[in-house]
Amino acid sequence: MKKVFEPVELKNLSVKNRLVRSATWEGIANPDGSITKESYEIYEELAKGGVGTIITGFTSVALNDYYFDGMMRLCDDALIPEYKKLVDIIHTNGAKTISQLALGAYYRRTSGGYEQVEPDEMTAEEIALVKQQFIDAAVRAEKAGFDGVQIHAAHFFFLSRFISPAVNHRTDSYGGSVENRSRMLLEILDGIKNAAPSLHVTIKLNSSDFTFGGNEEEDALEIGRLLDKAGIDSIEVSGNGTSVGGIKAHVNEGYFVPFAKTLADNVSCPVIVVGGFRSLDVIEDVLNSSRIELISQSRPLLCEPDLPNIWMQDKSHISKCVSCNGCYRSDSHKCIFRNR
């Protein structure tokens, strides 16, 4: 029987419990990707709160990624000391940490500056550049002491768009079939495994694009199988259109669980699932009625960063998060009800 608060051994990663803080956007980094004092404080509070693993917020692999303001970045060796400080803060407070490596969009330099380029228009050289950016960022993460990296291929950011037939209409080896559209993911995975072998390498995938002409669950299942065969260390299941409102404990928790259970039955690597968990007994039931190994949360840990510690003392406690999504409209994405 799986227990939430028990140590778990994964490839290159030993964690103290099965609870994961899913990567959560903060938007408060400096323009060069360096870390602010507030960010250090956010992650220190999370680590002290008892979660076993923290996946850091969206961390771009490129300096000329203009998709968001306030992105953390691992695009320059000069940033490594700042990220090492972040890792040390998290480790000192008892959690392991994974850097979520991402690209909002690919931007091509033009005479007037930069323009966003979709997968169909990218040259072979540009595809190779993006792959190398992910690999180089993983090497920096390893040097900074991160326990792992997460390849962000969900939520319709660059990699999610690249693997989606709603966006990718290429006719070369990077387009067409699911295997061809997934080629970039597999090559990034292989490159990271070779360049930074000490890291746990996970990936965040949509269970569905929920978009006309996009990946459906059968496509996502095939992508998961391809990644598993290629040696991915774990897969976190999400979806294109996250943060569902109106979540109530014991009513509609775990909205990505059905697909995650199917995926877990079809791959050998551990599966993590995010999406609307509010009660410990539901989490325990999901873990023990499936091959899912870990549960990740975002909004509840914005509302109560110490939720894991609370659950260790009171198993009946229900998350105070009311799924209003006000956090995503607030500065640094903090719960709007905290400290009121």
Side-chain angles (χ1 to χ4, degrees):
M1 180 175 177
K2 300 173 198 165
K3 297 179 180 179
V4 174
F5 295 104
E6 67 180 355
V8 181
E9 293 290 329
L10 307 178
K11 176 72 180 295
N12 289 344
L13 184 66
S14 300
V15 298
K16 66 181 180 182
N17 61 48
R18 297 182 185 273
L19 297 177
V20 178
R21 187 269 200 167
S22 193
T24 303
W25 171 245
E26 290 115 13
I28 55 175
N30 295 313
D32 65 351
S34 56
I35 301 175
T36 61
K37 180 177 181 291
E38 185 179 4
S39 292
Y40 288 128
E41 292 170 350
I42 288 170
Y43 285 98
E44 182 175 18
E45 184 179 43
L46 278 166
K48 287 180 176 179
V51 70
T53 307
I54 295 172
I55 305 177
T56 62
F58 190 109
T59 301
S60 183
V61 300
L63 181 61
N64 62 326
D65 181 3
Y66 303 106
Y67 201 85
F68 293 124
D69 291 327
M71 285 188 284
M72 294 194 291
R73 302 178 194 267
L74 271 172
C75 58
D76 191 319
D77 288 354
L79 294 168
I80 292 173
E82 295 200 15
Y83 285 85
K84 184 180 187 306
K85 179 180 177 181
L86 178 66
V87 170
D88 289 345
I89 287 170
I90 294 171
H91 283 170
T92 298
N93 289 287
K96 297 297 178 70
T97 182
I98 292 171
S99 176
Q100 187 188 68
L101 303 183
L103 190 67
Y106 179 74
Y107 291 85
R108 178 186 294 158
R109 190 174 186 86
T110 66
S111 57
Y114 287 91
E115 64 177 4
Q116 183 177 337
V117 179
E118 290 287 10
D120 287 1
E121 285 73 49
M122 291 179 70
T123 66
E125 291 76 18
E126 288 173 323
I127 290 174
L129 171 63
V130 170
K131 288 188 294 183
Q132 195 60 50
Q133 287 175 324
F134 273 89
I135 295 165
D136 290 346
V139 170
R140 294 184 187 105
E142 184 182 51
K143 289 179 178 177
F146 280 97
D147 303 290
V149 293
Q150 182 178 69
I151 302 167
H152 194 355
H155 305 169
F156 244 39
F157 297 119
F158 174 79
L159 288 177
S160 178
R161 294 175 71 78
F162 199 97
I163 63 176
S164 176
V167 178
N168 183 341
H169 310 105
R170 299 179 69 93
T171 57
D172 61 2
S173 61
Y174 289 97
S177 66
V178 172
E179 184 173 6
N180 280 358
R181 298 195 314 274
S182 302
R183 191 177 305 277
M184 179 181 275
L185 297 184
L186 302 178
E187 291 176 346
I188 288 171
L189 171 62
D190 182 65
I192 292 175
K193 287 282 190 177
N194 286 320
S198 73
L199 296 175
H200 178 90
V201 186
T202 184
I203 192 164
K204 192 166 196 171
L205 283 178
N206 287 342
S207 56
S208 170
D209 288 345
F210 302 114
T211 298
F212 180 77
N215 284 320
E216 303 288 350
E217 288 192 355
E218 56 267 32
D219 304 301
L221 185 61
E222 185 172 351
I223 294 169
R225 287 177 178 140
L226 288 168
L227 287 161
D228 183 51
K229 185 177 179 181
I232 197 75
D233 296 327
S234 64
I235 299 173
E236 184 185 20
V237 172
S238 186
N240 194 37
T242 58
S243 305
V244 172
I247 298 302
K248 297 186 182 300
H250 307 121
V251 177
N252 55 350
E253 297 183 62
Y255 39 84
F256 294 126
V257 166
F259 175 79
K261 284 185 175 183
T262 300
L263 178 64
D265 286 338
N266 282 271
V267 296
S268 60
C269 69
V271 170
I272 310 164
V273 63
V274 70
F277 292 100
R278 300 292 182 267
S279 58
L280 189 61
D281 57 333
V282 168
I283 289 173
E284 289 175 336
D285 179 68
V286 168
L287 290 171
N288 287 294
S289 64
S290 71
R291 295 184 64 250
I292 294 168
E293 292 290 341
L294 296 101
I295 301 295
S296 54
Q297 295 178 291
S298 175
R299 291 173 294 172
L301 293 174
L302 294 176
C303 182
E304 297 172 283
D306 58 344
L307 182 59
N309 285 342
I310 293 172
W311 273 338
M312 281 193 284
Q313 299 299 319
D314 180 6
K315 291 185 176 181
S316 66
H317 176 80
I318 300 300
S319 167
K320 293 179 180 179
C321 178
V322 296
S323 308
C324 69
N325 290 336
C327 49
Y328 297 134
R329 297 184 294 274
S330 69
D331 293 338
S332 67
H333 289 180
K334 289 186 175 179
C335 177
I336 62 173
F337 295 108
R338 286 190 70 190
N339 302 318
R340 284 193 173 188

